């Protein structure tokens, strides 16, 4: 029987070594490239010649995502519209990329990019560094005031500053862990249960009837996983919006 973790194996497709650096083009790179290509092609064909006046299915799908992210930005980031519009493209691309990565991972024999911690951590840390830069651009050194809540007694200040700093840095870590853990756990569970159902099916006899139970559970779990794939892209994006709002408006 195959290990449930076998589906997460990184396979180098084009090995590239530069000195001690390992820069191979892997199945993970391939699926990220596929995801970006798919998103770009979809948006390109939908917006070709200004789109249709009466949207077709694909145009409706892209418009739903666009409206959804636009509402998210408007609700979560307070301030003038010009500031919100500056960050909308970044948030839209982040949500669409994660959504398609998660959904493509649901296809049998494909690869789930977001089930690798290094990918989700790289994404969350790079976005977090960007958010911190935006905070300093907006407020200058006054941005440090978020580390010290108002009305704190002076003797407690050093401890609170340290605590707030750790809490602030941990946001990026938790953002990456949440996405990776949910995707990896869900896919592993589906793999274990489908393997169990297949074993029961192979045994024949009374077990042939009993295999229906795990198959039904796998079917239900696949539906749940589909929901989780969409939800995790949403949670990641909404938290980025909240953190951006904190950096811009110093909550």
């Amino acid at each position: 029987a195959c290990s449930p973790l076998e589906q997460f194996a990184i396979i180098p497709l084009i090995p590239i070594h530069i000195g001690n650096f390992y820069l191979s083009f892997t199945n993970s790179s391939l699926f990220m490239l596929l995801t970006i290509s798919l998103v770009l092609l979809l948006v390109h064909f939908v917006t070709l010649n200004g789109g249709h006046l009466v949207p077709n299915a694909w145009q409706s799908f892209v418009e739903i995502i666009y409206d959804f992210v636009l509402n998210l930005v408007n609700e979560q980031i307070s301030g003038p519209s010009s500031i919100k519009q500056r960050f909308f493209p970044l948030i839209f691309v982040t949500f669409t990329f994660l959504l398609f990565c998660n959904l493509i991972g649901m296809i049998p024999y494909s690869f789930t990019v977001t089930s690798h911690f290094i990918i989700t951590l790289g994404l969350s840390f790079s976005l977090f560094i960007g958010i911190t830069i935006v905070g300093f651009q907006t407020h200058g050194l006054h941005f440090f005031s978020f580390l010290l809540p108002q009305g704190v007694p002076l003797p407690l200040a050093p401890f609170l500053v340290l605590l707030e700093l750790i809490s602030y840095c941990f946001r990026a870590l938790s953002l990456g862990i949440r996405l990776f853990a949910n995707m990896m756990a869900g896919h592993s569970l589906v793999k274990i249960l489908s393997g169990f159902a297949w074993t029961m099916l192979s045994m024949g006899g009374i077990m042939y009837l009993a295999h229906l139970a795990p198959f039904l559970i796998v079917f239900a779990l696949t539906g749940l996983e589909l929901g989780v794939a969409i939800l995790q892209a949403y949670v990641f994006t909404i938290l980025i919006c909240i953190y951006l709002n904190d950096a811009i408006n110093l909550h």
Side-chain angles (χ1 to χ4, degrees):
C2 297
S3 160
L5 299 179
E6 202 175 296
Q7 58 182 316
F8 305 118
I10 301 269
I11 303 156
L13 303 175
I14 306 167
I16 303 164
H17 294 274
I18 300 170
N20 291 327
F21 290 104
Y22 179 77
L23 303 168
S24 297
F25 185 81
T26 62
N27 52 348
S28 179
S29 319
L30 176 69
F31 273 89
M32 277 194 275
L33 202 62
L34 274 173
T35 306
I36 292 166
S37 307
L38 191 69
V39 172
L40 290 174
L41 276 170
L42 181 64
V43 174
H44 171 71
F45 283 117
V46 159
T47 54
L48 208 61
N49 304 322
H52 300 282
L53 195 59
V54 178
N56 57 19
W58 292 111
Q59 191 174 326
S60 298
F61 176 60
V62 173
E63 282 178 9
I64 286 166
I65 296 176
Y66 185 91
D67 284 341
F68 176 74
V69 179
L70 192 63
N71 288 335
L72 198 66
V73 170
N74 287 332
E75 283 169 18
Q76 299 301 329
I77 302 175
S78 50
S81 179
S82 58
I83 289 175
K84 294 177 186 181
Q85 290 310 310
R86 268 176 64 197
F87 301 110
F88 173 74
L90 169 75
I91 292 161
F92 179 71
V93 168
T94 304
F95 176 75
T96 316
F97 176 72
L98 288 177
L99 179 68
F100 276 78
C101 275
N102 294 352
L103 291 178
I104 285 171
M106 290 301 298
I107 302 166
Y109 298 103
S110 70
F111 183 83
T112 318
V113 174
T114 43
S115 63
H116 279 84
F117 188 38
I118 194 70
I119 306 278
T120 58
L121 192 70
L123 191 62
S124 64
F125 256 96
S126 52
L127 283 166
F128 218 72
I129 291 163
I131 289 169
T132 310
I133 292 167
V134 165
F136 279 114
Q137 275 182 339
T138 313
H139 304 285
L141 290 176
H142 182 60
F143 182 60
F144 282 118
S145 66
F146 80 93
L147 293 175
L148 194 63
Q150 286 181 335
V152 172
L154 203 62
L156 283 175
F159 299 107
L160 266 173
V161 165
L162 187 65
L163 209 63
E164 285 288 326
L165 189 65
I166 292 167
S167 158
Y168 183 76
C169 294
F170 201 77
R171 282 176 171 188
L173 195 64
S174 66
L175 202 60
I177 290 172
R178 187 183 295 107
L179 179 59
F180 136 80
N182 275 288
M183 297 314 294
M184 188 178 183
H187 282 278
S188 301
L189 192 59
V190 169
K191 171 74 175 163
I192 290 164
L193 279 170
S194 52
F196 177 57
W198 183 251
T199 307
M200 289 179 82
L201 182 64
S202 308
M203 288 170 82
I206 190 75
M207 286 298 181
Y208 191 80
L209 295 170
H211 84 275
L212 279 172
F215 261 127
L216 288 171
I217 295 167
V218 168
F219 189 71
L221 259 178
T222 307
L224 183 69
E225 262 299 279
L226 205 58
V228 167
I230 298 163
L231 184 69
Q232 285 308 313
Y234 168 68
V235 168
F236 192 98
T237 315
I238 200 169
L239 285 170
I240 288 294
C241 288
I242 291 167
Y243 297 157
L244 249 176
N245 184 48
D246 287 354
I248 296 164
N249 301 306
L250 276 187
H251 280 277

